[in-house]
Amino acid sequence: MNSAAISASTPQDLRRQLVVAASAVFAVIGSFIGSGAAGGTPIQNASNGALAADATLIAPYGPAFSIWSVVYLGLVAYAVWQFLPAQKSARRHRLLGYPAAASLILNAAWILSIQFDQLWLSVPIIVALLAVLSWIFVLLLRNKPLNIWDAVVTDGTMGLYLGWVCVATAANIAAVLVSAGFDGFGLNPEGWAVVVVAVATAVGIALAIYGKGRLAPAASLCWGLAWVAVARLNGDLLSTPTAIAALVGAAAVAAVTVVVRLRGARSPRQIAARN
């Protein structure tokens, strides 16, 4: 069956669309709270500053978090996009709707866990978010976009979301471990930081290969790693080895993504799979 096939809409389609829209509103409200604009404590200052740029060696520099503005804009665009007639009963959007809603709810729940100083709770939440986004990535790969706009709004947004959350998960876990007094089992903090960056790099390369060179996940993951490097070369928590590892990791993910994408472009069957 064609993954882009459109059938007659049903009441279940409208229910799904409303759930996605409500979840998007919930996530946007959470983002305002997390930014401090709605009276909450900015994320970098909440939980005793555990997620600040100088809290751990894996924490990205402050400007890195501006990517959330792009991701939220894309998520709101997706919430509107999925209401349009062409998407309403499309198979890929039927499959994607509830996982997308779950990601939005988990996003807001993560912010609330930080706001209420439940740093330990933020880990299972962000791991669950990463798992949901990974499943969304698989769904999108298996069900091709309806057109170029669907690829940009849906695949592009979810790809950026996934790549950034990969970096955020690593930073979040590091923050919890440091706050709990983790001693590294004898390995110094810089050694652990390099290991974590290497794992994030491996994840990025795996996404590039499995995703046949999708640009969006690579772009946000490389963005996060690059700002980790900037943070370690500036500010109060300096680490040249971590910075070098992050820059090498970002370069490796970008290079593999480009190579895989170019190789795929040589095959006419692969051109339609790109976003």
Side-chain angles (χ1 to χ4, degrees):
M1 179 179 178
N2 188 342
S3 64
I6 300 175
S7 57
S9 62
T10 67
Q12 287 77 15
D13 289 322
L14 179 58
R15 185 182 304 121
R16 183 196 70 247
Q17 291 170 307
L18 292 174
V19 168
V20 171
S23 300
V25 171
F26 184 47
V28 169
I29 291 173
S31 74
F32 276 107
I33 294 174
S35 68
T41 304
I43 291 295
Q44 64 269 24
N45 298 328
S47 294
N48 298 316
L51 297 173
D54 58 355
T56 73
L57 291 175
I58 306 300
Y61 206 51
F65 297 93
S66 62
I67 195 173
W68 274 121
S69 299
V70 179
V71 172
Y72 279 118
L73 180 62
L75 290 171
V76 170
Y78 167 72
V80 174
W81 176 256
Q82 51 108 35
F83 266 108
L84 299 181
Q87 287 70 247
K88 186 173 184 179
S89 57
R91 181 171 182 264
R92 76 177 332 228
H93 289 284
R94 283 176 169 170
L95 292 171
L96 181 63
Y98 287 113
S103 78
L104 291 162
I105 293 170
L106 286 167
N107 190 316
W110 181 85
I111 292 173
L112 292 176
S113 71
I114 301 299
Q115 288 292 318
F116 286 100
D117 293 326
Q118 300 300 313
L119 189 61
W120 63 272
L121 183 59
S122 68
V123 171
I125 292 175
I126 201 167
V127 169
L129 174 58
L130 181 59
V132 170
L133 290 174
S134 298
W135 176 235
I136 288 174
F137 188 61
V138 172
L139 288 176
L140 292 178
L141 288 174
R142 292 178 178 175
N143 299 273
K144 292 180 173 58
L146 305 177
N147 49 51
I148 185 63
W149 294 110
D150 194 29
V152 171
V153 174
T154 306
D155 301 61
T157 295
M158 295 302 173
L160 287 175
Y161 197 6
L162 171 60
W164 174 250
V165 169
C166 286
V167 176
T169 301
N172 195 167
I173 292 174
V176 171
L177 290 175
V178 169
S179 296
F182 177 61
D183 62 5
F185 298 125
L187 183 63
N188 65 52
E190 285 188 327
W192 273 108
V194 170
V195 169
V196 172
V197 168
V199 171
T201 300
V203 170
I205 290 173
L207 288 176
I209 295 172
Y210 182 76
K212 299 180 178 62
R214 295 273 176 132
L215 296 179
S220 53
L221 198 149
C222 289
W223 169 271
L225 289 177
W227 281 107
V228 169
V230 172
R232 301 293 71 80
L233 295 173
N234 298 275
D236 299 326
L237 191 58
L238 303 178
S239 173
T240 301
T242 305
I244 292 174
L247 289 174
V248 170
V253 172
V256 172
T257 301
V258 170
V259 169
V260 171
R261 189 175 180 87
L262 290 176
R263 285 182 177 177
R266 295 174 186 172
S267 170
R269 294 170 58 185
Q270 295 292 335
I271 294 177
R274 295 182 299 167
N275 64 342

